[in-house]
Amino acid sequence: MLSKEQNELLTRVGKGTPMGETMRRYWHPIATSDELPHPDCDPLRAKLLGETFVVFRDTEGKVGVMDELCLHRGASMALGRVEDGGIRCLYHGWKFDVTGKLMETPNHADPRVRERLRAKAYPVREQSGLIWTYIGPKEHEPPFRHFAYDKVPESNRVLFKLVVKANYLQMWEGGTDSSHVGILHSNVTRPGWLADSGAAPEINDMVSAAWDDTSPQLEIENTGFGFHYVGMRAAANPEQRNIRLVPLFMPTGRIIEFPDFYTTVFDTPLDDETTASYLVDASDVRQLDLNERLKRSGLVEERFYKNTEFVANWDTRFNQDRESMREKRSWSGFHGITQEDAVISTSMGPIYDRSTEHLVAADAAIVRLRQRLFDSVQRFQDGLPPIGVELGDLTHMRGFDLDIGKQETWRPHAAHHVEHYPAKD
Ligand code: FES
Ligand SMILES: [Fe+2]
């Protein structure tokens, strides 16, 4: 449980708020490359941490991120014309390049104004299908980050963006929460439920005996990037137990292991009440297909997912299929992991008030997540770098899902994190 003040501190991300300023010390994704598919495509009006930006691709293919409103008299640049080497405001035609340099001012012949003024433009990197930006103070720009998914061939990687009407922490806590996986996602994961109900598994390769153990034991350890936890469950073989490690990295990330691919998720706050989750799947062993992934996630129908937005809401009771629940064909009345997760986060309201919750031992990783966020804000307020901000090479960060002997410990399997990202506190 958190006090109302603590809840406010963790959930508010606008400019000038403690969490908002801490988050501004990191790079964040602001769009996918697919949203800016070619040099003369439409500019985007994109939110990040409560601020609005124009994101555009110039005629040479370079991406620019600038404050949304024109430097001259405030028209939205997102309505502007993408022209040779820059973007031009519709109102009086001022034209800027991706660095914010003022190239032309058709209503003002004197060139001095072009030398004196500059639009606020932000550093941009485009990598593995994501467009990243850094909107914090220039002098604190941290190293740009690389992840394990950057190292797989392009054909072994797919990604998509899901915008949900819920605060980022609801989404991130959901991703941190091990004990819901064998319950909310029963149709995908839990053999016991499937056998009792007679339902066909929605995804065969996720069904695992370990998910029948719905009360995992958790062990948690701080790391340089945030922390990781291990969920320990009974395995099918009574001589073994299942261990599943999940890395949680500041300021909004996690990695989830599946049988032959892994998903790196960034639950990026657009504003206090809206989150863009970027999900990047990568496989070391096989090619991946985006349509197959969207189907697995329950995001192929427009009544759930349209133009990157999760659109199901209370107006239609989230399109829940109660009949399938009564007939025991479905646990949740929903289909697909991501669909189920998005519904749950949205159902809590835009910003959940954690002063009314009742935590149990199974929520230990969520408590640690909040603690690491508080620590990060505290470090920022003490004039120190927030947790993990100095880490550019995150390519060694990975989870696992293994069955090991009952007497064995999980620690040797997590040695890669201890070696590359030792905890500093
Ligand atoms: S408001 Fe943009 S050029 Fe005048
Ligand atoms: Fe989930």
Side-chain angles (χ1 to χ4, degrees):
M1 186 183 113
L2 297 179
S3 69
K4 281 190 191 293
E5 294 70 29
Q6 288 173 317
N7 201 52
E8 288 284 296
L9 188 138
L10 289 190
T11 53
R12 302 286 173 184
V13 295
K15 211 170 179 161
T17 61
M19 183 55 78
E21 291 302 314
T22 306
M23 288 234 182
R24 277 167 173 74
R25 293 297 177 90
Y26 299 83
W27 286 84
H28 293 274
I30 193 163
T32 65
S33 297
D34 284 350
E35 289 181 285
L36 291 174
H38 50 78
D40 65 346
C41 63
D42 300 345
L44 303 172
R45 181 174 183 267
K47 280 196 158 185
L48 178 61
L49 300 172
E51 294 184 73
T52 314
F53 302 90
V54 58
V55 185
F56 67 101
R57 193 183 292 281
D58 74 9
T59 45
E60 277 148 38
K62 285 188 293 225
V63 177
V65 174
M66 297 194 307
D67 283 349
E68 183 203 2
L69 301 185
C70 177
L71 196 63
H72 175 220
R73 282 181 37 222
S76 174
M77 295 296 298
L79 299 173
R81 302 170 59 86
V82 178
E83 289 184 5
D84 209 18
I87 187 165
R88 189 187 294 282
C89 178
L90 289 185
Y91 204 0
H92 313 92
W94 289 23
K95 181 176 166 186
F96 305 87
D97 74 7
V98 291
T99 68
K101 188 167 172 283
L102 189 46
M103 301 165 79
E104 291 170 27
T105 51
N107 69 341
H108 184 78
D110 183 346
R112 280 173 302 181
V113 74
R114 295 199 282 280
E115 280 143 32
R116 192 165 49 82
L117 296 179
R118 208 181 171 92
K120 191 126 195 235
Y122 300 90
V124 178
R125 298 276 200 295
E126 186 167 16
Q127 181 163 277
S128 301
L130 284 178
I131 293 166
W132 293 81
T133 191
Y134 170 75
I135 62 169
K138 252 201 181 96
E139 64 278 19
H140 292 295
E141 184 183 322
F144 182 68
R145 289 176 156 185
H146 298 269
F147 297 91
Y149 65 69
D150 290 321
K151 299 210 284 197
V152 307
E154 209 180 317
S155 55
N156 289 22
R157 187 173 59 231
V158 293
L159 69 92
F160 65 99
K161 172 179 178 178
L162 176 77
V163 177
V164 177
K165 283 305 292 174
N167 180 260
Y168 82 97
L169 194 54
Q170 276 148 241
M171 298 297 288
W172 203 16
E173 287 184 351
T176 309
D177 172 13
S178 194
S179 75
H180 86 278
V181 180
I183 300 180
L184 174 64
H185 307 309
S186 286
N187 275 64
V188 175
T189 58
R190 186 152 56 109
W193 151 258
L194 292 162
D196 287 351
S197 67
E202 285 182 16
I203 300 163
N204 269 318
D205 65 4
M206 281 287 297
V207 178
S208 154
W211 295 117
D212 271 341
D213 182 351
T214 56
S215 160
Q217 257 186 293
L218 298 182
E219 285 190 9
I220 305 173
E221 186 174 60
N222 284 352
T223 61
F225 53 72
F227 70 100
H228 55 208
Y229 74 83
V230 178
M232 287 176 288
R233 295 176 166 84
N237 177 346
E239 301 305 311
Q240 292 189 312
R241 59 180 174 160
N242 177 263
I243 55 169
R244 188 175 164 82
L245 179 129
V246 180
L248 281 299
F249 58 95
M250 297 292 122
T252 67
R254 58 196 153 101
I255 301 182
I256 308 293
E257 291 290 328
F258 293 96
D260 60 2
F261 69 95
Y262 56 98
T263 304
T264 308
V265 186
F266 306 95
D267 287 319
T268 308
L270 301 190
D271 56 31
D272 291 349
E273 302 188 348
T274 321
T275 303
S277 294
Y278 295 87
L279 294 94
V280 185
D281 289 354
S283 175
D284 298 323
V285 293
R286 71 170 173 106
Q287 300 198 339
L288 299 177
D289 176 85
L290 181 59
N291 288 328
E292 184 194 300
R293 173 50 146 117
L294 292 175
K295 198 169 160 204
R296 171 190 280 266
S297 307
L299 299 178
V300 282
E301 291 176 76
E302 284 202 343
R303 58 197 187 118
F304 286 99
Y305 183 59
K306 199 173 171 187
N307 302 333
T308 77
E309 306 251 343
F310 189 75
V311 292
N313 58 40
W314 277 116
D315 292 350
T316 54
R317 285 193 59 98
F318 293 97
N319 308 313
Q320 189 181 30
D321 182 354
R322 304 291 306 189
E323 201 53 36
S324 70
M325 295 164 78
R326 272 189 285 275
E327 291 170 3
K328 294 204 168 59
R329 283 183 284 116
S330 168
W331 168 268
S332 64
F334 298 105
H335 297 286
I337 298 181
T338 313
Q339 183 187 115
E340 287 171 332
D341 287 334
V343 167
I344 293 297
S345 287
T346 315
S347 78
M348 301 163 120
I351 303 186
Y352 175 56
D353 171 8
R354 292 169 178 76
S355 68
T356 59
E357 68 185 1
H358 298 83
L359 297 177
V360 294
D363 299 311
I366 285 160
V367 173
R368 183 66 63 97
L369 177 67
R370 297 173 187 174
Q371 194 53 54
R372 293 303 265 164
L373 282 166
F374 283 130
D375 291 350
S376 227
V377 171
Q378 189 59 54
R379 287 180 61 85
F380 167 77
Q381 290 178 330
D382 292 344
L384 298 167
I387 292 170
V389 86
E390 74 288 356
L391 297 171
D393 180 1
L394 285 170
T395 59
H396 305 284
M397 183 172 59
R398 282 288 297 270
F400 54 72
D401 186 333
L402 297 169
D403 288 348
I404 60 171
K406 262 198 163 152
Q407 304 314 317
E408 276 180 63
T409 129
W410 55 271
R411 288 187 183 274
H413 300 281
H416 56 303
H417 288 171
V418 177
E419 180 190 339
H420 293 284
Y421 314 114
K424 297 201 170 150
D425 42 10

